[in-house]
Amino acid sequence: MIKNISVIEGDGIGPEVIRQAIKVLNSIARKYGHNFHYQNVLAGSKAIEKFGNPMPEKTIDSCLKSDAVLFGCIGDPKHDHNSRGMRPEDGLLKLRKRMNLYCNIRPIVIFPILDKSPIKKEFLHEVDFIIYRELTSGIYFGKKGRCKNGEKAYDYCIYSKKEIEKIGEMAFKAALSRKRKVTLVDKANVLETSRLWREVIQKISMDYTDVNLDFLYIDNAAMQIIMNPKKFDIILTDNMFGDILSDESSVLTSSLGLLPSASIGNYKSMFEPVHGSYPQAKGKNIANPLGCILSVSMMLEYFGMHKEKNLLEEAVRNSIEEKICTPDIVNSKLSSTTEEVGNYIEKYIINQ
Ligand code: IPM
Ligand code: MN
């Protein structure tokens, strides 16, 4: 198969983890006779510096024309208060909107051998859930601004039935091939948007009589994810709550550096690790490349390359079992570098 992939390395540790992901993709291509063509495009702080814009049209164009986008991470403290009011993060939000990536899928995968989670082992046994986070609406994209001479600020949270329906359908379909349970997380005791979510999701659930639907308020869900994480299968939630719950859930897995994600639109999709740009680790060869490599595995699945995905995941499991891991998930005296982890996985794939 031939696939055109736009690659956005981004800021901080982005280039380092993307380098390993591409190395692994190339080993898959070699083994299975695929042709992956990469187009490197700029976004985030590098694009601000070069074009004065965190998401140039040229980058959006390339992403819209390709079969998939592989994204590292963006964010750079030096632009947090820049004079033009432009943040690298604005670029990511713009790209999500322009590609209409309404459904963000974040699997919470536990590798039983890892023990860096501060949560007791007995709570982690059999944990396996996926967060379905709405990604192109809600408080992230509502009207925002200042009034009263800057003394007051506002961010509107708006959802339409259609927006909720689209991701709702995706979540129920996913539940059918899993434990058949959807938990809608909201704040329906306070927020009108949450009440609309409940109405729409309840209606969809009538077409999925084999799927069990339950509801949790966000404050309660935040507690249950720690106290009783095995009760979840699919967590369906809005943009902001999904953002928060995914970082929280990463604590169960030992490291945020392990989490992959897929952002799915009607026609286009993007694959990116959940972690941020981690500027303190930039260039030190210590960043965990597995979040990015497992995002590649979600991309292979999206391409319909199931054998390829299985082999890649087997390679990742082996690297963890052999403790070829970065210091966030193993004892730092025995740890490997970002590059060594990538090399191990590349070699494993080629030698199988
Ligand atoms: C994420 C990130 C982004 C978000 C930031 C970088 C804008 O935290 O993908 O979870 O809030 O969506
Ligand atoms: Mn986040």
Side-chain angles (χ1 to χ4, degrees):
M1 258 190 231
I2 298 174
K3 293 288 177 193
N4 292 305
I5 302 167
S6 288
V7 180
I8 299 175
E9 292 183 342
D11 305 323
I13 57 170
E16 300 162 53
V17 295
I18 287 280
R19 207 171 306 129
Q20 305 316 313
I22 299 280
K23 188 192 283 176
V24 167
L25 254 176
N26 286 339
S27 66
I28 291 281
R30 245 168 74 196
K31 177 144 195 110
Y32 292 94
H34 299 306
N35 272 310
F36 297 136
H37 301 297
Y38 309 105
Q39 179 153 30
N40 275 293
V41 278
L42 291 185
S45 72
K46 285 186 204 128
I48 294 179
E49 280 145 31
K50 189 149 180 211
F51 302 110
N53 177 354
M55 187 50 66
E57 282 303 312
K58 191 169 167 257
T59 298
I60 297 177
D61 238 41
S62 160
C63 294
L64 288 172
K65 284 193 189 118
S66 54
D67 295 303
V69 179
L70 182 61
F71 190 98
C73 42
I74 54 180
D76 189 327
K78 79 170 173 259
H79 290 291
D80 280 354
H81 305 284
N82 78 22
S83 55
R84 287 169 291 191
M86 252 179 295
R87 286 167 164 269
E89 289 86 342
D90 297 335
L92 175 57
L93 299 186
K94 184 166 169 192
L95 184 61
R96 287 173 177 170
K97 193 73 173 176
R98 290 284 295 275
M99 292 179 72
N100 191 18
L101 306 174
Y102 61 91
C103 179
N104 183 223
I105 304 173
R106 298 184 160 181
I108 305 301
V109 202
I110 306 275
F111 295 96
I113 193 172
L114 298 179
D115 57 6
K116 283 268 182 134
S117 173
I119 311 289
K120 288 195 191 107
K121 266 235 145 93
E122 69 244 40
F123 287 91
L124 299 177
H125 187 57
E126 288 176 359
V127 169
D128 173 14
F129 63 89
I130 308 184
I131 298 173
Y132 272 64
R133 168 190 177 195
E134 199 290 324
L135 202 62
T136 47
S137 188
I139 198 167
Y140 271 59
F141 290 95
K143 189 175 171 202
K144 56 182 87 248
R146 295 279 178 113
C147 52
K148 302 269 180 229
N149 274 333
E151 297 284 312
K152 285 192 171 182
Y154 54 88
D155 295 274
Y156 285 180
C157 181
I158 302 187
Y159 269 108
S160 70
K161 279 190 170 176
K162 229 196 191 127
E163 288 166 342
I164 302 168
E165 271 159 16
K166 274 175 24 185
I167 184 158
E169 286 287 344
M170 297 279 280
F172 276 92
K173 283 202 183 98
L176 283 179
S177 57
R178 295 176 47 89
K179 293 178 270 176
R180 297 179 177 240
K181 184 173 172 194
V182 171
T183 303
L184 176 63
V185 172
D186 62 25
K187 189 72 186 170
N189 49 347
V190 177
L191 303 177
E192 196 54 38
T193 43
S194 289
R195 293 192 268 266
L196 184 66
W197 271 81
R198 283 206 182 193
E199 221 173 277
V200 172
I201 297 303
Q202 221 147 13
K203 190 142 173 255
I204 293 178
S205 77
M206 289 172 193
D207 298 332
Y208 294 87
T209 45
D210 307 353
V211 177
N212 189 305
L213 170 66
D214 67 355
F215 305 97
L216 271 187
Y217 296 141
I218 177 69
D219 45 353
N220 189 2
M223 182 183 77
Q224 302 267 347
I225 279 178
I226 301 298
M227 297 296 290
N228 194 7
K230 15 175 188 280
K231 73 177 255 169
F232 295 108
D233 182 19
I234 302 284
I235 292 182
L236 169 61
T237 192
D238 79 2
N239 203 341
M240 174 86 128
F241 296 152
D243 180 45
I244 298 166
L245 291 186
S246 39
D247 273 34
E248 188 196 2
S249 305
S250 76
V251 173
L252 305 169
T253 71
S254 280
S255 171
L256 183 58
L258 281 171
L259 294 200
S261 89
S263 303
I264 309 287
N266 287 336
Y267 306 106
K268 295 289 161 192
S269 293
M270 179 158 96
F271 300 84
E272 57 174 308
V274 174
H275 63 71
S277 57
Y278 193 10
Q280 307 85 329
K282 178 181 172 178
K284 293 192 180 152
N285 211 6
I286 56 169
N288 194 338
L290 293 182
C292 198
I293 289 174
L294 289 168
S295 301
V296 160
S297 140
M298 295 182 86
M299 182 165 87
L300 294 172
E301 186 176 16
Y302 170 76
F303 288 156
M305 299 177 178
H306 303 292
K307 283 194 308 273
E308 293 82 339
K309 167 199 145 78
N310 289 340
L311 178 58
L312 172 49
E313 290 184 1
E314 183 185 311
V316 168
R317 271 195 308 277
N318 257 275
S319 75
I320 291 175
E321 270 152 33
E322 295 296 322
K323 296 230 153 79
I324 311 295
C325 297
T326 45
D328 52 323
I329 52 175
V330 292
N331 183 330
S332 55
K333 288 195 196 95
L334 307 170
S335 64
S336 304
T337 63
T338 308
E339 201 170 351
E340 283 163 353
V341 173
N343 291 346
Y344 179 93
I345 292 171
E346 174 194 41
K347 223 178 249 138
Y348 186 96
I349 290 168
I350 292 170
N351 290 336
Q352 281 310 295

